[in-house]
Amino acid sequence: MNQQDTICAVATAQGGAIGIIRVSGPKAIAATNNIFIPHNAKQGNLSQRDPYTLTFGYIHDKTTNQRIDEVLVSLFRAPHSYTGEDSTEISCHASPYILQQVMQLLLHEGCRIAQPGEFTQRAFLHGKMDLSQAEAVADLIASTSAASHRLAMNQMRGGFSKQLSELRNQLLHLTSLMELELDFSDHEELEFADRKELNQLAQHIETVIERLVNSFSVGNAIKNGIPVAIIGATNAGKSTLLNALVGEERAIVSNIHGTTRDVIEDTINLSGTLFRFIDTAGIRQTDDSIEAMGIERSFKAMAQAEIVLLMYDLTQGEDTFRSFYEQIQQHLAGKQVVVVMNKCDIATPPTTLPSFINTTQATYQTIAISARQQLHINELETILTHMAALPSLAPTEVVVTNARHYEALSNALQAIRRVEQGLQDNLSGDLVSQDLRECIFHLSDIVGEVTTDAVLGNIFSHFCIGK
C-alpha cells in the first residue's frame, strides 16, 4: 500500500437515496476541486475553503461539458480527519450510474480505487487509532444486536486499549526493576525490587489477563451468536423448525428421509440476544456415503453448540425416540438440552420427560410444539432466551470478542504465569525478564505496536471497501 496515493471509494451500500464517495490522500482536495463547481462562485474553490465545511455545487465532466449531479462536498484537512490525511466526502444521489461517473472522474484526476479497509488502515498508520480500535470499526459495522453494538463502541472508544496500556505500564515497571538489577549483577547485595512485591504485582496482572481471556466465551457469543444445534432423526421436523424460527424457507422440507445432507446455519435476534441456529442432517444408520458425511457434521455441530434442540417426533412413538437418544446420549454431556416434542397437533405429548433420559449428564427442558403449524414457537424462543442467560454487562466493561486478541492474551497469560513461577523458584533475573518481555510483546501485538505488514493486510482485507 502506497500512502502517497490518493484513494477513493463508494462508502455507502446500494439501495438508498444518497451515495457517498470518500476521497483521501495528498491530492484529495485538488482532485475533488477539479471535478466540482460550487453553486455560489463567491465561495471560491475547495482549496480555499475552511475545514469542516459543506459546499453545495455540481460534479462537472470537463471533457463532455456535462453536469453529472448536484452534490454536497464535505472538507477535512490533515491531520484532523478520519484518516489523518486531507479528505473529502461527496454526497450525491445514489444512482449506480452517477456513482460510477463520479468515480471515473476521480480516477481520471489521478486517484485510485481504495482497497478493502484502506481508509481505516491509514487512520491506524497515522496514529488516529490503535489496531484494536481499528478492528472495532469492522465489528461496529457488523453489529447485529444491542450488546454487540455496545461492545464494539466501547472498544472503538479505547476501553480495551486503556486496560491493555495499564497492564503494559505495570509490566514495564516490573521489567525495569528486574533489568536494573542485571546492570548491577556484580553487586549481589543490591536488590531493587522485593521479590514478594514483584510476585504480588505479577499475580495481579495474571488476574486481569485471565479475566479478559475468560470473557471471550461471552464476547464470542454476543458477536457471532449463541450456537444452537437442531438434532434429531430423519423427518423429525428439524428443517421445518429452522424455517419457523428464522421466518423464511431457509431449508428444504420434504417427507423423503435424508433430505438434509449438510449443516445449514442462520441467525436470529431474540430479545436482544443473537442466536446461531444450525440445522443438521438426520442421524440414522445409512450406507449412503454423502449422507454419512452429513451425519458426521451433525455430531460436530452438537459438540460446538451451547444449546441442543433435541427433536422428538411424537408420531414415531417413545421407543423410536429412545433408540435415537441412545445413539447421541454421550454427545449431550454438559450441554443445555431442550427436548422439542414436535407434531403435537396430531399426536399427544407426554406430560413428563421420558424416563430413559439421563438428567445427570445435561440440563434438560421440554416443550411440545408443531413446527409445521408454528404452534408454541414463541414459548420455545422464551426458553432459549432464558437458557442463554448472558450476563448483564456494564457500558464500560471490557469483553474480548476478537479471536486474534484471545490468542495474544492466552499467550500473555502463559508468559506471566512463567514469571510467577520463576520468581517463586528464585530464577535469575535475566530468565524472568525474558518472560516479562514476551508478555509485553503479546499485549503490544493486540494494539499493533509490533504487528507485521502481513498481519495488517489480513486484518484489513476483511473490511468493506470504503471503510
Side-chain angles (χ1 to χ4, degrees):
M1 184 188 73
N2 187 350
Q3 292 187 61
Q4 297 306 310
D5 292 345
T6 297
I7 58 175
C8 60
V10 178
T12 46
Q14 293 185 3
I18 302 297
I20 296 176
I21 293 174
R22 307 180 78 182
V23 191
S24 182
K27 300 179 181 178
I29 297 175
T32 306
N33 185 70
N34 287 343
I35 65 171
F36 177 72
I37 298 176
H39 178 71
N40 185 350
K42 295 180 180 179
Q43 292 179 318
N45 61 43
L46 293 176
S47 61
Q48 299 171 328
R49 299 283 290 161
D50 293 330
Y52 313 119
T53 55
L54 287 172
T55 306
F56 173 68
Y58 314 95
I59 295 296
H60 183 259
D61 186 343
K62 292 181 290 187
T63 304
T64 61
N65 196 31
Q66 178 185 6
R67 283 186 179 180
I68 304 300
D69 195 16
E70 294 182 346
V71 301
L72 280 173
V73 175
S74 309
L75 182 67
F76 309 91
R77 296 187 185 277
H80 305 297
S81 70
Y82 178 77
T83 60
E85 304 172 324
D86 284 347
S87 303
T88 62
E89 291 184 358
I90 304 171
S91 300
C92 53
H93 294 95
S95 156
Y97 173 78
I98 292 174
L99 294 171
Q100 181 185 39
Q101 290 299 302
V102 177
M103 285 291 294
Q104 287 181 351
L105 292 175
L106 288 169
L107 295 176
H108 183 73
E109 292 297 328
C111 301
R112 69 164 171 83
I113 296 176
Q115 299 171 5
E118 190 169 357
F119 290 93
T120 304
Q121 186 170 0
R122 289 189 175 203
F124 162 69
L125 294 172
H126 287 112
K128 304 298 289 186
M129 60 182 73
D130 65 37
L131 192 55
S132 69
Q133 290 173 295
E135 289 170 297
V137 173
D139 290 343
L140 185 64
I141 294 171
S143 61
T144 54
S145 67
S148 60
H149 169 265
R150 185 169 65 250
L151 292 181
M153 283 296 296
N154 184 31
Q155 184 173 325
M156 194 173 73
R157 289 172 176 169
F160 187 32
S161 302
K162 180 181 179 181
Q163 193 152 64
L164 290 177
S165 177
E166 292 172 355
L167 285 173
R168 290 175 63 253
N169 288 338
Q170 292 170 353
L171 285 164
L172 287 170
H173 176 66
L174 194 55
T175 305
S176 64
L177 293 175
M178 295 297 299
E179 296 192 352
L180 189 59
E181 289 185 2
L182 293 177
D183 292 338
F184 293 89
S185 57
D186 52 337
H187 298 277
E188 296 182 359
E189 71 280 1
L190 289 177
E191 187 176 83
F192 292 92
D194 180 83
R195 288 295 187 270
K196 183 178 180 180
E197 292 181 5
L198 289 179
N199 194 53
Q200 289 175 345
L201 179 56
Q203 287 177 350
H204 167 71
I205 294 171
E206 181 201 1
T207 299
V208 176
I209 296 177
E210 186 175 32
R211 183 186 60 76
L212 291 172
V213 169
N214 292 339
S215 72
F216 179 66
S217 59
V218 173
N220 190 50
I222 291 174
K223 180 180 176 180
N224 299 314
I226 296 171
V228 181
I230 307 175
I231 303 294
T234 57
N235 273 17
K238 300 181 298 300
S239 297
T240 306
L241 177 58
L242 175 68
N243 292 340
L245 287 166
V246 302
E248 62 177 287
E249 296 297 314
R250 184 67 177 82
I252 296 174
V253 175
S254 168
N255 59 3
I256 300 173
H257 289 270
T259 302
T260 302
R261 297 191 170 203
D262 202 351
V263 296
I264 300 173
E265 296 190 20
D266 210 336
T267 56
I268 183 172
N269 191 322
L270 301 178
S271 302
T273 300
L274 190 67
F275 289 87
R276 179 162 50 90
F277 291 102
I278 310 165
D279 179 24
T280 63
I283 296 174
R284 65 170 179 170
Q285 298 296 326
T286 180
D287 294 327
D288 187 315
S289 60
I290 302 298
E291 187 179 355
M293 291 173 62
I295 292 171
E296 180 62 29
R297 293 183 181 184
S298 297
F299 286 113
K300 290 182 179 178
M302 209 183 321
Q304 297 169 0
E306 292 190 20
I307 301 174
V308 174
L309 300 184
L310 196 58
M311 300 297 292
Y312 176 2
D313 184 350
L314 294 172
T315 64
Q316 297 296 317
E318 187 172 292
D319 289 342
T320 301
F321 180 63
R322 178 174 188 162
S323 177
F324 163 75
Y325 175 78
E326 289 172 350
Q327 296 180 59
I328 56 97
Q329 176 182 354
Q330 60 180 328
H331 299 279
L332 299 176
K335 303 289 184 184
Q336 297 190 85
V337 182
V338 183
V339 178
V340 181
M341 298 178 286
N342 192 28
K343 307 181 184 179
C344 70
D345 56 323
I346 55 177
T348 303
T351 56
T352 60
L353 193 67
S355 59
F356 54 80
I357 288 182
N358 186 352
T359 56
T360 63
Q361 278 190 323
T363 303
Y364 283 89
Q365 291 196 46
T366 62
I367 185 172
I369 71 161
S370 171
R372 185 177 298 278
Q373 299 298 327
Q374 298 195 13
L375 296 176
H376 308 304
I377 298 300
N378 289 339
E379 289 88 337
L380 175 57
E381 292 176 349
T382 300
I383 289 175
L384 289 170
T385 302
H386 289 160
M387 275 190 160
L390 291 176
S392 58
L393 302 173
T396 58
E397 187 168 352
V398 176
V399 175
V400 177
T401 62
N402 186 298
R404 187 183 73 84
H405 301 169
Y406 172 75
E407 181 181 10
L409 286 165
S410 297
N411 291 332
L413 182 60
Q414 294 177 18
I416 196 63
R417 284 173 175 168
R418 289 196 300 271
V419 169
E420 290 180 69
Q421 190 62 49
L423 291 171
Q424 292 173 11
D425 295 342
N426 290 318
L427 293 183
S428 62
D430 55 342
L431 295 176
V432 175
S433 292
Q434 177 60 36
D435 288 324
L436 281 169
R437 285 192 293 269
E438 183 176 337
C439 188
I440 294 171
F441 171 85
H442 291 302
L443 295 181
S444 300
D445 186 36
I446 294 174
V447 295
E449 293 185 1
V450 294
T451 302
T452 65
D453 290 340
V455 171
L456 290 179
N458 179 61
I459 290 171
F460 289 103
S461 66
H462 293 90
F463 278 59
C464 51
I465 293 176
K467 193 59 182 177

